[in-house]
Every structure is written in C-alpha cells, then in structure tokens.
Amino acid sequence: MGIRILIADDHKILREAITSLLNNEIGISVVAEAGDGRTAVQLARELQPDIVVMDIIMPNLNGIEATRQIVRELPHTKVLMLSEQSDRRCVCEALRAGAAGFVPKRCGFDELVTAIRNLAANHTYLSSEITGAVVDEYIHRRPDQDNSAYSVLTGREREVLQLIAEGMSTKKIAKELHLSVKTIEWHRSQLMKKVHLKSVAELVKYAISEGLTCVSV
Amino acid sequence: MGIRILIADDHKILREAITSLLNNEIGISVVAEAGDGRTAVQLARELQPDIVVMDIIMPNLNGIEATRQIVRELPHTKVLMLSEQSDRRCVCEALRAGAAGFVPKRCGFDELVTAIRNLAANHTYLSSEITGAVVDEYIHRRPDQDNSAYSVLTGREREVLQLIAEGMSTKKIAKELHLSVKTIEWHRSQLMKKVHLKSVAELVKYAISEGLTCVSV
DNA sequence: GGTAAAACCAGGAATGCCCTGGGTAACCCG
DNA sequence: CGGGTTACCCAGGGCATTCCTGGTTTTACC
C-alpha cells in the first residue's frame, strides 16, 4: 500500500512534477491532484489519503480553510503545508488550522520527502527555516488578540469573504457552496459588521491585506 | 548534446522537480539551476545554454531584467518565461524584454516541453491561455503604447473608477462629483466594458494594479 | 443537559444595477 | 462649413441585490 498522498496546488506544472517525483519514491504514491482548496476537500473526503500536501494560496478556497475542513472531517488524514509564504502569520495560522507539518517551497525535494515520512509516522514536521518563526510566536505571544481575519471571523465568513473578493456575486457564491442566497447574505452582513467595512471595495482590500486573495485578477 | 537548459526560479523544490522531469526527456538536459535573477545571468554567461527557463518573481534581480540582460549579451540563448503571473502587463513586458516564449505555471508539464522544443527550433511559443491577451494588445492598441488605465479610460472614467475602488457608492460619487446618479452608472458600465471586468471586486484589483488606489483601507 | 455560538434560511421593503435610448458640447478633418 | 467622432450628461423601467428582522438547526463545551 504505502503512503497515499493528495496534492493540492494551483500550479499544475508543480503538481505534475512533484507527483512524478513522489511516485518514484518507495512506499509513496500520489492518488490525486487538486487545483483549488474546495476540490482538495472533496477529493480528500472521497479518497481518504494519508497525507494532503497543501499550498496556501489557492483560488476558490485557500489552503488554510481547506486544512481546517479536512482535519475536522478526517482525523486520520494529515495535512502538510507546502507554501511559498513562510512568514510567522502564515505558519501559525496553518498550525492552528490543524496542519501537521510545514515546508516552504524554497526548500528542496528531499525535505518534502522527509516531511512526508515524518507525518506518516505520526510525527509533526516543521522545516528548520520556519521553526524560528513558531518559537517567536510562542515567546512574543500577544495577550490581546489581533484583529486579523483569522481571529475575528469564523471559517464560513472567511470562505465567503474570499469568494466575494474574487469577484463572485452572492448568487454564484450560494451556488458554489450549495447554500441559500439568504445564508450568504447573512454571512456577508455579519463579516462586514465584524470588520467595520461597508463596501465591497473595502472588503476586497481587506481580503488582500489578509492574504485571502491576491491582487492579480 | 541535445538542448541545454538553465532553470531560474526561487522555489528550489520546483527547480528540482522540473529539472528531474526534463532530464527524462529525450534530447533535453538541464545544465544548471539558479535561485535568483543575478545568478541566472552569471550562469548563462558562463554556460551559454540554449534556453533559459525563467520565473518572473525572483529576489535580487527579477526575471524581466535578467531576460533583458541575457538576450543583449547572448544572442543565441533564448528565454522562456515560466511565471505564475500571466496578465497582459507581465506578458508584454516579458516579450518586450526579449523573451521568446511564455508559459504560465498553471499549465501542465507537457506544455513546458512543447514550448522548449519550439524555442529550440527557433520558433516563439506563447501558451494558448495568453495569446488572447497578446493579440488583443497588438490589435487594439499600438504596440508602443501600453493599455494602462491612463490610455484606455477617459479622465472621467478613471475618476469614477478610483472612487469606486475607494469604497464609495454610486450615490456618493454622484454627490461628490455634482452629477446625476445615472451619469455615474453610465461611466461605470462604460469602464467595465472597456477593461472587460464584471464585478466591483475585479475593478478594485485593477485599480490597485494601476496605482489608482492603494491596498490600505 | 443546558448554554452559547455558529450556521442555516425566509419575507418584504429598500436600494442599487443594467440596459436602452437620447441629448449636448467640443474637436478634428476633408 | 458640414459631418463624423468622442467625451460627457441624463431618464425610465425591469431586474437583481442588499438590508433588516425574524426564526430553526447544528455544533461545541462545560
């Protein structure tokens, strides 16, 4: 059998390349690929892989939220973050969301394999490049919560915010999430109240500054 | 011998993976890797590869500038852009800098190989996903003048766009500019048509990328 | 097992958006 | 000077969306 892996990254060429290399490794097989977070969650549900290798920046649903949903539903599936962002905030949010490991993309392939084998052995794995950031977070822990999106908004609210900031209408979001339009409206008004913003334009800027979406259209 | 390739990307894991896959291709061999633009220029000078596969976003020296330097010094070396950004501006800047091909990272590995073989045969290669943007650029506008907000939009339209992107409602904009709400609505629909965007969220991102407004709320 | 928070949904009034169509002023150019 | 082009301005009406108030179910947590 070996370690069954799902890869989620919006760069197809990276997915394919890593898949190909991982399939050469003994005892590791990639069972599926996903190009966005929502697809990743669905595929994880269907295939129940041992490990999900997950990018953070993805359309439709970002890697943090996807991780949150996966670890809640599938306790036996571990998530390994493979991200280009490796700042303190990203790392800590990923761990808080339930990721069992974190490797920045600037690391080599060997380290990815090491991380995968560690996670498969029920260990957590943090790349040496980022452990500093985590320690820093635990030492300088702010007693009062900052007002970042991850502390004031709920999961659903962040999810809706991302889709709004990606240009979707309320109707489309409802269809995408299989919910009523009224529900989306409620979440939208809730999150607008929470962050004290009154227009879509301000929401978009907020989402960009929080890393929920990127500037390029 | 075959096609000799230099790969420049700041993500080591992507470099390694692509290198490994390319070395499996018949007649293609990766002779070196670079993690930033300046290293890429130096290695290209030393090794004189046939093709440089180049990312745009890199530390020290970005891919556009590196391309400019390489094509000026080494007329027999071709540059293939492999970038996550694939908006009009990036593509056109890359081509203007002398790149002979452009493939977005969201494309598959096969397309990368196709592009490499095309460049080696002295052809240019543009991914089908971006040819539309380029053709649009060259047909609609003069090649020497960019289609930034300042050239395709009228003064009023830019004015309205900025206010929209700053979070104002149509009503407030009308009051601000001492115009009818209907007039603002018309300008808005006009400018949306011109830049081919359909939502406020996309407009905001466009305005940010054009420097009409900033990210901070 | 009770409480709280999150997530879900509905109805109706108000608002805003989209589309069609029309009008004026300025400008360039043959 | 007449004709074309462009920017700018505005109205009406149909349609979609938002806002507000309400309520139910689910989940998490003592």
Side-chain angles (χ1 to χ4, degrees), chain B residues 54-56 62-68 71 79-83 85-103 126 130 134 138:
Chain B
M54 180 96 70
D55 191 14
I56 288 183
N62 69 64
I64 303 276
E65 288 309 313
T67 298
R68 214 183 303 274
V71 298
V79 176
L80 172 61
M81 281 294 169
L82 177 67
S83 173
Q85 319 291 100
S86 59
D87 51 292
R88 268 194 298 271
R89 176 107 43 87
C90 273
V91 174
C92 291
E93 282 305 321
L95 297 181
R96 225 166 272 158
F102 199 112
V103 176
L126 295 182
I130 59 163
V134 178
Y138 274 86

Side-chain angles (χ1 to χ4, degrees), chain B:
Chain B
M1 281 288 287
I3 307 167
R4 299 171 65 250
I5 292 186
L6 166 65
I7 294 190
D9 195 306
D10 57 337
H11 295 338
K12 187 181 176 192
I13 195 162
L14 179 65
R15 282 201 317 267
E16 288 185 359
I18 288 184
T19 296
S20 174
L21 290 192
L22 282 181
N23 280 332
N24 287 343
E25 294 287 323
I26 299 169
I28 294 180
S29 65
V30 177
V31 294
E33 298 179 12
D36 64 275
R38 204 168 308 284
T39 311
V41 173
Q42 285 168 2
L43 286 175
R45 225 186 324 246
E46 292 170 19
L47 302 170
Q48 308 218 351
D50 300 304
I51 293 173
V52 180
V53 175
M54 180 96 70
D55 191 14
I56 288 183
I57 299 177
M58 285 188 292
N60 215 327
L61 184 69
N62 69 64
I64 303 276
E65 288 309 313
T67 298
R68 214 183 303 274
Q69 297 184 18
I70 287 176
V71 298
R72 192 176 48 204
E73 288 186 45
L74 307 165
H76 299 301
T77 297
K78 313 219 177 273
V79 176
L80 172 61
M81 281 294 169
L82 177 67
S83 173
E84 43 192 326
Q85 319 291 100
S86 59
D87 51 292
R88 268 194 298 271
R89 176 107 43 87
C90 273
V91 174
C92 291
E93 282 305 321
L95 297 181
R96 225 166 272 158
F102 199 112
V103 176
K105 280 187 181 175
R106 83 175 84 88
C107 284
F109 179 73
D110 286 345
E111 184 152 3
L112 176 63
V113 176
T114 304
I116 287 176
R117 296 204 189 277
N118 266 277
L119 261 62
N122 263 328
H123 300 138
T124 61
Y125 184 89
L126 295 182
S127 167
S128 56
E129 293 195 26
I130 59 163
T131 44
V134 178
V135 170
D136 193 56
E137 172 85 7
Y138 274 86
I139 287 181
H140 281 170
R141 355 258 176 227
R142 298 274 178 280
D144 57 295
Q145 98 188 42
D146 62 349
N147 67 336
S148 70
Y150 288 101
S151 57
V152 297
L153 299 183
T154 70
R156 264 291 194 240
E157 285 163 354
R158 284 194 298 273
E159 210 172 344
V160 172
L161 172 57
Q162 177 174 354
L163 295 178
I164 291 174
E166 284 175 359
M168 275 195 192
S169 68
T170 305
K171 206 178 196 174
K172 267 187 190 166
I173 296 174
K175 213 167 288 178
E176 179 76 24
L177 299 180
H178 306 293
L179 294 175
S180 158
V181 171
K182 293 295 181 178
T183 305
I184 307 302
E185 286 180 7
W186 191 84
H187 285 309
R188 165 207 282 259
S189 71
Q190 272 308 100
L191 72 91
M192 275 182 154
K193 202 176 295 173
K194 282 187 181 178
V195 296
H196 307 105
L197 298 177
K198 306 171 305 305
S199 67
V200 177
E202 291 169 317
L203 279 187
V204 173
K205 292 180 178 185
Y206 177 74
I208 291 173
S209 69
E210 293 295 333
L212 287 176
T213 186
C214 55
V215 183
S216 64
V217 183

Side-chain angles (χ1 to χ4, degrees), chain A residues 72 169-171 181-182 185-186 188-189 192 198:
Chain A
R72 190 178 51 204
S169 68
T170 304
K171 207 178 196 174
V181 171
K182 292 295 182 178
E185 288 178 8
W186 193 84
R188 165 205 282 257
S189 70
M192 274 182 153
K198 308 171 303 304

